[in-house]
Amino acid sequence: MIEAKNLTKRFGKQLVFENLNFTINDGEFISLIGPNGSGKTTLVKIIMGLEKETSGELLIDKKQTIGYVPQFRNIDLDYPLDMEQFIRLNLKFTMSPAKRRENNLLITDILKRTHLTELKNRPLGLASGGEKQKAYLAQALLNNPKILILDESTASLDVEVKMQLMDLVQELNQKEHLTVIFITHDYELTKKYTHRALFFRDKTIEDVEVKNVSEDMFEMGG
Amino acid sequence: MFEYEFMREAFIASTFIAITAGLVGVFVVSRNMSFLSHTLSEIGFAGAAFGILVGISPLAGMIIFTLVSSIAVGSLSSESSRREASISAISSLFIGLGILFLSLSSESSSYATNILFGSIVGISSKEVNQLMILALFVIFVFIIFYKPLSFDSFDHIGARAAGLKTRLLSIAFLVTLALSVSIGAQIVGSLLVFVLLTLPGATAKYLVHSVPKLIMVSVGLSLAGVWLGLYLAFVTNWPVTFFISGFEVIAYFLGLSYKNWKLNH
């Protein structure tokens, strides 16, 4: 569970947000919505322990691993690694044969869970946008996270591919009880996949049940 | 050919140089630092000239200059356009300084030619030992940092997201790059050391798709280039650098053509 109590962050004199109060329960699928510069990334950094709050507190089990899927990656056409090797980058170095076998099993499992087994030898530079996002997701899943943060992962994908990726995330959320925090500007995806939406508005957060989320809330700054 | 001691020394030195450059080159290419390695070689030229001027060895001068400047670059602005501009400004300054140091020292111009273009006859057994120690140090650092450095070099954003200390890795890498430039310049010269530090790594990425294989192919191409270069230089009496750069450039374009051919089939 993640719980924010009067969470406030300032950079020098500049207020990013103040008095955030919200709870994210284990296994929930939450969307985090707000205009650029509203503090979404800062909040995510605090959740990940990369940034400290100015006041208030964020309660989170520090031992929980968090998988983060960043929005941008520098992968061009000539990028040399194939899908599997790209995912393997997140493995720890080991000389022990037993540990290596364990890692190989883990990779096989991750490839299967993210539906990438058939594509594992494809150079990442030549993969489609959706396939790349699946590889990023697979890499983040490698450390067996309990919380998965997707940072606008669907932003540059066409509708069908977006749905495929989100179906996969939903599957992970439902089957494996993974908590998902999905940063997005997408109304349709929020409605279809998430349980609740946290809207950044006027330096604070509004917690809205997904059935009450309307399209104009996104136009107001989503 | 091996009855001559200088050829034996040159082969041993080149083998270590090629292994180091081939290994480091894979990461130079994946970190988009080809331009920086070019600049470091020019800084290395100034360092060697400085070494001659003040009476320490050219290699020591090179190491001092490239180490200091690589760490300085590591703390430069992370904005890439500004970084490129700063690097090219620094590079011009150092070429100028190198020429100044040489003209102030009493060494002949042939010495300058050796530093700039490399030489196979100039290496003593003492220098071979120094090169071997430096090369082994670079390889050792790579073994220690292999996993995190691979992650950071092939997926910088992912590595940061996974909580790796990417700044520390960057500095460790720049130090090994500085040493590799200084080592490599002893055979191919400071003007063309970046050939060994960039082309084999760039060629490898058109051929194979995992980090260990990239390293193997890059080191292989680098070794093939220097061995062939030394042999042909011995037979023809032409400059070794010409053969090495010729071989690496041909290999690069063959690699690129192979990749394009594979894309269309």
Side-chain angles (χ1 to χ4, degrees):
Chain A
M1 193 171 82
I2 304 169
E3 192 178 0
K5 288 182 178 171
N6 296 322
L7 191 72
T8 301
K9 178 69 187 175
R10 290 173 194 278
F11 286 115
K13 281 186 179 163
Q14 196 202 341
L15 177 70
V16 184
F17 48 68
E18 64 182 337
N19 296 328
L20 304 191
N21 288 292
F22 63 83
T23 306
I24 300 174
N25 296 310
D26 291 345
E28 264 196 307
F29 197 147
I30 295 288
S31 57
L32 188 59
I33 301 151
N36 295 331
S38 59
K40 292 173 301 206
T41 308
T42 309
L43 176 61
V44 163
K45 280 186 177 166
I46 294 175
I47 293 174
M48 291 174 72
L50 301 172
E51 194 80 64
K52 266 209 82 65
E53 62 273 14
T54 311
S55 64
E57 59 181 336
L58 186 96
L59 303 172
I60 183 170
D61 180 0
K62 291 263 167 30
K63 283 185 285 220
Q64 273 180 352
T65 329
I66 299 177
Y68 175 67
V69 186
Q71 185 181 6
F72 299 109
R73 240 55 185 228
N74 304 320
I75 307 290
D76 63 11
L77 264 181
D78 280 343
Y79 184 80
L81 302 189
D82 62 30
M83 297 279 225
E84 181 182 339
Q85 294 298 325
F86 173 81
I87 298 165
R88 276 179 177 273
L89 288 174
N90 198 12
L91 283 176
K92 300 265 179 300
F93 180 72
T94 176
M95 293 289 272
S96 130
K99 198 88 182 106
R100 276 166 179 257
R101 271 195 300 276
E102 214 175 278
N103 280 344
N104 289 340
L105 287 175
L106 178 65
I107 290 284
T108 311
D109 177 54
I110 293 275
L111 287 168
K112 208 165 126 193
R113 278 157 66 200
T114 48
H115 309 165
L116 284 175
T117 309
E118 313 256 293
L119 296 169
K120 65 177 184 176
N121 295 326
R122 165 173 290 203
L124 190 64
L126 303 178
S128 70
E131 289 162 358
K132 279 184 188 143
Q133 286 297 336
K134 280 188 190 173
Y136 304 161
L137 176 64
Q139 195 196 63
L141 290 174
L142 214 50
N143 291 336
N144 200 17
K146 294 283 170 277
I147 301 166
L148 184 67
I149 302 174
L150 301 171
D151 196 345
E152 302 193 30
S153 303
T154 55
S156 53
L157 305 177
D158 58 45
V159 179
E160 200 183 324
V161 182
K162 262 183 204 180
M163 296 293 184
Q164 280 172 10
L165 185 73
M166 292 306 285
D167 284 344
L168 175 61
V169 175
Q170 191 177 46
E171 199 179 303
L172 294 166
N173 166 253
Q174 287 171 352
K175 278 194 193 159
E176 303 177 22
H177 211 58
L178 196 67
T179 308
V180 181
I181 301 174
F182 174 45
I183 302 176
T184 185
H185 296 281
D186 197 311
Y187 167 71
E188 305 283 341
L189 297 181
T190 300
K191 272 300 224 193
K192 184 161 190 265
Y193 292 98
T194 69
H195 307 143
R196 268 188 308 135
L198 298 175
F199 280 90
F200 266 102
R201 214 179 297 293
D202 302 326
K203 310 279 183 198
T204 188
I205 249 178
E206 198 182 330
D207 189 342
V208 186
E209 283 294 319
V210 79
K211 63 175 193 283
N212 300 326
V213 169
S214 63
E215 202 160 5
D216 56 329
M217 294 169 97
F218 282 76
E219 283 156 14
M220 282 160 66
Chain B
M1 174 167 76
F2 290 112
E3 63 265 32
Y4 297 99
E5 196 186 342
F6 76 91
M7 280 310 286
R8 288 201 298 273
E9 307 283 19
F11 258 94
I12 298 169
S14 311
T15 301
F16 278 91
I17 287 168
I19 293 171
T20 319
L23 169 68
V24 176
V26 168
F27 297 87
V28 168
V29 173
S30 65
R31 298 173 81 90
N32 287 325
M33 283 188 165
S34 304
F35 185 49
L36 177 65
S37 71
H38 185 205
T39 304
L40 276 179
S41 58
E42 286 160 355
I43 292 172
F45 161 66
F50 178 76
I52 296 166
L53 176 66
V54 300
I56 54 174
S57 76
L59 179 61
M62 256 191 176
I63 291 173
I64 295 168
F65 271 49
T66 52
L67 270 183
V68 170
S69 45
S70 65
I71 292 169
V73 165
S75 50
L76 265 181
S77 155
S78 58
E79 195 187 315
S80 66
S81 61
R82 192 174 296 172
R83 192 173 166 132
E84 293 273 287
S86 313
I87 291 172
S88 71
I90 291 168
S91 132
S92 327
L93 172 71
F94 275 92
I95 287 263
L97 278 175
I99 295 167
L100 173 71
F101 293 148
L102 273 181
S103 74
L104 291 178
S105 75
S106 51
E107 286 292 339
S108 66
S109 63
S110 71
Y111 211 95
T113 318
N114 279 355
I115 300 174
L116 280 170
F117 302 114
S119 158
I120 51 169
V121 288
I123 293 207
S124 69
S125 58
K126 190 179 151 213
E127 283 167 335
V128 172
N129 288 338
Q130 287 172 346
L131 288 181
M132 276 166 55
I133 292 167
L134 286 171
L136 288 172
F137 174 75
V138 169
I139 294 166
F140 176 72
V141 171
F142 268 83
I143 293 172
I144 301 275
F145 288 106
Y146 172 70
K147 257 299 181 188
L149 190 66
S150 298
F151 197 175
D152 186 39
S153 304
F154 287 90
D155 182 19
H156 176 62
I157 295 167
R160 267 196 2 215
L164 257 64
K165 293 191 169 55
T166 54
R167 201 162 182 97
L168 178 76
L169 286 168
S170 173
I171 290 176
F173 176 73
L174 285 165
V175 167
T176 57
L177 177 60
L179 290 177
S180 312
V181 165
S182 308
I183 301 168
Q186 306 305 309
I187 284 277
V188 287
S190 64
L191 266 187
L192 281 175
V193 65
F194 74 97
V195 166
L196 279 183
L197 278 167
T198 54
L199 286 181
T203 310
K205 79 173 190 176
Y206 296 132
L207 306 176
V208 286
H209 304 296
S210 76
V211 184
K213 285 183 189 162
L214 284 166
I215 292 173
M216 277 190 274
V217 171
S218 176
V219 168
L221 286 169
S222 188
L223 276 173
V226 294
W227 285 343
L228 189 72
L230 278 177
Y231 171 71
L232 292 175
F234 179 77
V235 176
T236 60
N237 213 16
W238 286 12
V240 63
T241 312
F242 163 72
F243 293 112
I244 296 175
S245 52
F247 174 84
E248 300 302 349
V249 168
I250 291 169
Y252 174 79
F253 282 109
L254 285 176
L256 185 59
S257 312
Y258 171 75
K259 159 131 188 178
N260 289 336
W261 174 82
K262 232 178 128 189
L263 270 181
N264 298 322
H265 286 79

